[in-house]
Each structure stands twice: as C-alpha cells, then as structure tokens.
C-alpha cells in the first residue's frame, strides 16, 4: 500500500513495523471528529482562497459521503494506512480524485490529531457530565424517598453518631457536584484550536484560524504552535477528574458491598444486579459494586500511564503521543459504564430501615448528645466529654444503655443533669438536634435536597 508520505522512501515498510506502528485499530473511533475537523478546515481553505471554492465544496461533499459510509459501517479501514487520519484522506482522494489531496494543505497530522482528541474529549466530557447529573438525581430521589431512615454514622468504621441515611447519600451528591465543576472547568482548556500549527512551526499559507475555531464552537485559538502539537495536559486533566469520579464511585461501591453483607444487613441488592456462586447455592454476591471498586484501579492506572508517556518528552510531537489514546478511551468508557450501572441499580436497592436504626441505637451513639447537653448547661466541653466518658464506661460495665439509667444515676455523674436529659438520649432526638448548617437534622437535610435539586436541574 502506498503511503501518503512515501516520496522520500526507496523501500517499503516492513510488515512488523506496520503492525507495530498502526493506531487505526484503536483510533478509528475518532472518525466523526476527524471528519468534523476536516470539513471546517476545508471550508476555511475555500473561504481564504488558499484553494478554490469549488475544490473546497468537492472536498466537503466527499467527506460527507465518507461519513455516511462510516456511519453505516461500510468503510474499510486499512492498517497499512496507519491511522484514522490517513485512512480517511486516502478514501477521499480515491473518491474525488487528486483534488482530495488539497485537504491536507496548511495542516499536519500533528495538529489534526490534537484537534480530533479535543473534539472527542469535548463530547465525552459532556456525556460524562450528563451521566453524573443522572446519578445525582437518582441519589437525591433515593434520599428523599427514605428521608425517615436513621443509620449510624461511622468514623474509624466504629459507630459514631446517628445520622439520616438521606444525609449520608447527599454526601455523594456533593462529591459528584465537585466532579461536575472540575469537568466543566476542563472544557475551557479543551476547546482551544490547535489546527493551523501544522507540524510545529505554523504555516506560510494565509490561514484563518479564528474562522475554524468558530466553525467548531471552540473558545480560543492556541497561541504557540509548538505547544499546541505537543500539549496533552487537557487529557491528563480529564483522566484526573475522571479518577476523582472513580474515587467517589468506589467509596459508594465499597459501602454498598459492606451494607449488603450479612454482618450489616442494611440493604438488599436487587436480584437483577447481583450474581450467584457456582458452588455455594445460598450466595448473592455484590459483583456490580465490587467491579466499580475494581475499575477505579484501571482508571488510576490510565492516569499514571499518561503522566509517564508525557514525562520528559522533548518538544514537539513524538510518536510516543500515539500511546495517549488507549488509556484515554478506556477511561471515558469505564467511567461511563460505572455511572450507568450504578444509576440503574441504586433506585432498586431495598433499605432495611429497622436494621439501620437498630445499629444506630447501639454503641452509645448519642454520647456526643449527652456531652453537648452538659456543655449547654455551662460545663466546659472538655469536662462534659470526661463526665460522659465515665457514664459510658459505667453503662458498659453494667451492660446497659443510657436509657436504662435512673435520674439518680445521672446525678451521680453530674448535678447538671436534669429531667430533660431523657429527651436527648434517643437517636431520633439526636438527629433532630443537629440543626447546624449542613447538619443531619431532617430540616437541614430537606433544605439541602432543595438546594441540590436547584443546582443539579439547571
Ligand atoms: N496516529 C498518530 C497519533 O496518534 C497521528 C499523528 C502522527 N504524526 C506523525 N508525525 N507521525 O499520534
């Protein structure tokens, strides 16, 4: 197969090298962006008079026809033509004749691939944003539906204080909101046009870069041609933001795995989202959240792969940069799949309200309420903490709960205890009293649901 760059070569490329260097097996998915970028470029070439308007039109039409074949799966990619860019260009020349060879005027694959990746990432970022929003909506819905459920809040995996399940779930909505902010911010740096940088030094032809940027809906034109063809920061930012998404999803997944265990029994996973064991007939395994947890590792690996490809790479384009694609594509695919499956599964989870509130009642989880009660009566908090600690030890030794203490028992620990202490011992009262902004009281949580709904639905 004759290569578009074969002019200075006497001998053909070795088969081993062809298969070693090709990228079309994985970059073919860039075809919609390659065509979109090429159409904008061809229009600009006609608009500026670098090529004739009629040539420009022929090229655009040819590209459109090729896009049609690609969309129908009728296009035959050839690995001898290296990558998606050369495959499409060769097909164009075959289709419309030598005029197709004018498309690559004032352009190099170096700025072309940088543009394709930016167009691809803009689309992926928008898809990811929509999916994250979808998961936020699901979490909000589940929170609202289960607003009455009290569960133990944990620190060090020890029962700490009773909280609303809804409050716990909204914590994830907050994380996802930050993820959306990060991804949205990244768009500013993705939507910058590298085209017109040509190989690395710019072009002697009178291109109109702004025209192309506007046609593609980009915000700016890159200001240094060397940087433009060697910059992959925007990809690393994307994978880094995606990694944080996976941190959040894997924490949620881990909690689902724990909660589904016999030991917790806080939730029951829907049958359709669990799997069985080939040897133990009784088992219902939480494979979906486990895989989400596991896939986080893949995405972090992709981030390290990209960092490592870029580290120490001299300017400008080097073929190493072709290795940016598999980790980037895998990241986008993986995160989307995780968001999708979690969004589907979450609304079908059954929460065991009784087990959750029973667990919340155990472990002297309202000890902090007792201490705050004493602090409210004027005792310095450190002393209140000490007194309550002694009370816990006493109860533990007796094998009783706070509620089992008589008024006289309380008085023995502090004379500040009045009859109103009773009303502070239950988990419901405890939750209800946490009215500080962002706290777990139903009133606060409902306020947050309202705020988040407003934030998410716009
Ligand atoms: N397939 C290449 C890549 O993914 C496209 C750019 C090739 N440029 C070059 N000078 N060989 O990076």
């Amino acid at each position: 197969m004759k290569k578009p760059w074969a002019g200075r070569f006497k001998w053909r490329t070795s088969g081993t090298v062809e298969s070693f260097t090709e990228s079309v097996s994985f970059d073919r998915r860039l075809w919609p962006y390659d065509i979109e970028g090429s159409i904008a470029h061809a229009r600009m070439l006609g608009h500026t008079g670098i090529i004739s308007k009629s040539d420009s039109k022929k090229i655009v039409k040819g590209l459109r026809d090729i896009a049609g074949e690609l969309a129908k799966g009728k296009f035959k990619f050839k690995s001898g033509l290296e990558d998606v860019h050369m495959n499409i260009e060769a097909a164009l020349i075959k289709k419309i004749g030598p005029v197709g060879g004018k498309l690559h005027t004032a352009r190099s694959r170096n700025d072309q691939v940088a543009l394709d990746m930016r167009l691809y990432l803009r689309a992926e970022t928008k898809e990811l944003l929509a999916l994250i929003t979808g998961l936020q909506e699901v979490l909000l819905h589940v929170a609202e539906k289960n607003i009455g459920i009290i569960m133990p809040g944990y620190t060090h995996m020890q029962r700490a204080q009773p909280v609303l399940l809804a409050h716990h779930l909204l914590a994830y909505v907050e994380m996802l909101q930050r993820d959306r902010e990060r991804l949205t911010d990244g768009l500013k740096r993705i939507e910058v046009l590298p085209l017109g940088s040509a190989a690395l030094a710019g072009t002697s032809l009178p291109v109109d870069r702004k025209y192309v940027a506007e046609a593609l809906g980009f915000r700016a034109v890159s200001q240094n041609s060397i940087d433009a063809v060697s910059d992959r920061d925007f990809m690393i930012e994307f994978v880094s933001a995606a990694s944080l998404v996976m941190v959040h999803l894997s924490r949620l997944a881990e909690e689902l795995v724990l909660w589904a265990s016999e030991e917790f029994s806080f939730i029951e996973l829907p049958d359709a989202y669990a799997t069985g064991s080939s040897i133990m007939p009784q088992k219902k395994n939480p494979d979906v959240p486990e895989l989400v947890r596991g896939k986080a590792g893949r995405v972090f690996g992709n981030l390290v792969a990209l960092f490592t490809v870029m580290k120490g790479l001299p300017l400008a384009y080097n073929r190493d940069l072709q290795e940016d694609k598999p980790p980037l594509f895998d990241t986008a695919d993986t995160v989307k799949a995780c968001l999708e499956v979690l969004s589907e599964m979450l609304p079908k989870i059954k929460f065991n309200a009784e087990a959750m509130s029973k667990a919340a009642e155990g472990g002297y989880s309202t000890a902090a309420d007792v201490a705050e009660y004493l602090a409210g009566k004027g005792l310095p908090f450190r002393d209140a903490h000490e007194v309550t600690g002694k009370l816990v030890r006493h109860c533990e030794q007796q094998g009783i709960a706070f509620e089992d203490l008589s008024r006289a028992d309380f008085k023995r620990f502090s004379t500040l205890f009045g009859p109103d202490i009773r009303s502070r011992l239950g988990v419901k009262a405890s939750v209800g009293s946490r009215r500080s902004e962002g706290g777990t009281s139903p009133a606060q949580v409902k306020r947050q649901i309202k705020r988040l709904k407003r934030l998410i639905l716009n």
Side-chain angles (χ1 to χ4, degrees):
M1 185 161 304
K2 188 162 176 325
K3 317 273 187 218
W5 41 252
R8 59 102 66 225
F9 288 81
K10 192 159 157 208
W11 306 106
R12 37 185 310 247
T13 319
S14 116
T16 321
V17 171
E18 261 186 8
S19 54
F20 183 70
T21 54
E22 68 85 23
S23 57
V24 71
S25 56
F26 51 86
D27 69 15
R28 63 177 65 190
R29 66 195 285 167
L30 290 174
W31 73 260
Y33 310 108
D34 200 69
I35 300 256
E36 189 187 352
S38 287
I39 288 178
H41 182 66
R43 288 227 173 93
M44 182 278 290
L45 292 176
H47 166 79
T48 51
I50 296 174
I51 65 174
S52 72
K53 286 229 159 51
S54 81
D55 282 354
S56 165
K57 280 201 181 113
K58 275 183 211 146
I59 293 172
V60 171
K61 173 157 190 319
L63 287 168
R64 285 240 170 84
D65 292 347
I66 291 171
E69 287 161 29
L70 278 155
K72 285 196 209 109
K74 283 196 182 133
F75 189 92
K76 286 227 169 354
F77 284 104
K78 296 178 187 122
S79 66
L81 285 168
E82 261 181 61
D83 53 28
V84 64
H85 324 293
M86 292 202 330
N87 267 273
I88 291 176
E89 195 191 336
L92 180 71
I93 293 170
K94 197 166 157 216
K95 189 177 276 296
I96 65 170
V99 62
K102 295 194 176 184
L103 171 63
H104 214 51
T105 313
R107 185 175 83 169
S108 132
R109 267 187 301 156
N110 298 349
D111 52 351
Q112 187 180 356
V113 72
L115 172 66
D116 289 9
M117 293 306 277
R118 287 170 181 276
L119 288 167
Y120 162 79
L121 261 195
R122 170 170 70 180
E124 289 298 318
T125 299
K126 288 186 178 165
E127 264 188 60
L128 217 53
L129 283 169
L131 286 170
I132 295 174
T133 310
L135 181 57
Q136 284 181 308
E137 281 175 45
V138 165
L139 284 163
L140 274 171
H141 169 77
V142 175
E144 214 171 10
K145 212 174 104 193
N146 297 288
I147 190 80
I149 298 184
I150 294 177
M151 64 175 279
Y154 295 86
T155 64
H156 312 272
M157 271 311 283
Q158 309 285 318
R159 288 172 193 165
Q161 286 178 28
V163 294
L164 289 186
L165 166 66
H167 189 51
H168 192 100
L169 294 175
L170 292 193
Y172 287 101
V173 181
E174 296 286 345
M175 296 176 221
L176 294 170
Q177 187 61 19
R178 292 193 293 276
D179 290 330
R180 280 177 51 196
E181 285 172 21
R182 263 184 290 273
L183 284 162
T184 305
D185 193 70
L187 282 172
K188 282 194 265 183
R189 287 168 297 280
I190 289 173
E191 293 179 320
V192 177
L193 184 86
L195 217 57
S197 303
L200 80 159
T203 171
S204 60
L205 295 159
V207 290
D208 185 344
R209 301 188 62 212
K210 219 168 146 225
Y211 176 95
V212 182
E214 269 163 25
L216 296 172
F218 272 21
R219 303 175 195 212
V221 167
S222 64
Q223 295 297 300
N224 182 305
S225 58
I226 298 174
D227 178 45
V229 292
S230 53
D231 169 32
R232 297 293 182 270
D233 293 2
F234 63 99
M235 292 185 197
I236 295 185
E237 276 190 60
F238 175 84
V239 179
S240 157
S243 294
L244 267 170
V245 174
M246 289 308 292
V247 168
H248 300 147
L249 298 190
S250 72
R251 292 182 80 171
L252 176 59
E254 165 66 6
E255 297 206 305
L256 296 179
V257 171
L258 279 175
W259 293 356
S261 71
E262 191 83 39
E263 282 71 11
F264 273 84
S265 299
F266 282 5
I267 58 171
E268 198 193 319
L269 295 176
D271 272 5
Y273 294 81
T275 53
S277 156
S278 52
I279 178 163
M280 296 164 284
Q282 85 284 13
K283 300 233 8 207
K284 183 165 166 188
N285 294 328
D287 293 31
V288 168
E290 282 171 334
L291 274 169
V292 170
R293 196 174 57 184
K295 283 174 193 292
R298 252 170 90 156
V299 174
F300 306 160
N302 291 339
L303 180 61
V304 174
L306 279 181
F307 270 131
T308 314
V309 166
M310 297 310 294
K311 179 200 168 293
L313 201 65
L315 302 178
Y317 181 85
N318 299 272
R319 193 61 175 270
D320 314 42
L321 291 176
Q322 186 165 288
E323 288 296 312
D324 60 8
K325 281 157 212 75
L328 186 72
F329 295 157
D330 183 66
T331 297
D333 296 344
T334 303
V335 181
K336 284 194 294 186
C338 291
L339 285 163
E340 261 160 11
V341 74
L342 281 178
S343 298
E344 249 185 61
M345 187 178 88
L346 273 169
K348 303 188 182 84
I349 289 177
K350 269 224 306 277
F351 290 92
N352 185 349
E354 207 179 310
M356 287 183 138
S357 77
K358 223 169 134 210
E361 278 155 22
Y364 307 102
S365 67
T366 55
D369 297 83
V370 175
E372 280 191 3
Y373 169 90
L374 291 173
K377 301 269 177 196
L379 195 62
F381 185 75
R382 279 289 150 236
D383 299 331
H385 187 285
E386 171 84 15
V387 169
T388 312
K390 286 191 172 133
L391 203 63
V392 169
R393 196 167 63 202
H394 170 80
C395 289
E396 234 170 28
Q397 277 164 356
Q398 305 293 311
I400 56 172
F402 285 149
E403 284 90 338
D404 301 323
L405 292 168
S406 69
R407 201 151 151 226
D409 290 335
F410 272 112
K411 282 274 189 226
R412 267 201 295 125
F413 286 87
S414 169
T415 51
L416 291 170
F417 281 121
D420 51 340
I421 182 61
R422 293 252 151 248
S423 67
R424 302 290 297 272
L425 301 176
V427 291
K428 221 170 162 175
S430 166
V431 165
S433 72
R434 309 268 163 205
R435 281 185 296 263
S436 57
E437 191 168 346
T440 203
S441 76
Q444 275 299 326
V445 172
K446 280 179 198 155
R447 241 185 80 187
Q448 295 300 338
I449 290 177
K450 233 179 169 171
R451 175 191 137 255
L452 287 164
K453 269 191 186 162
R454 248 198 333 265
L455 218 66
I456 285 158
L457 299 176
N458 75 44

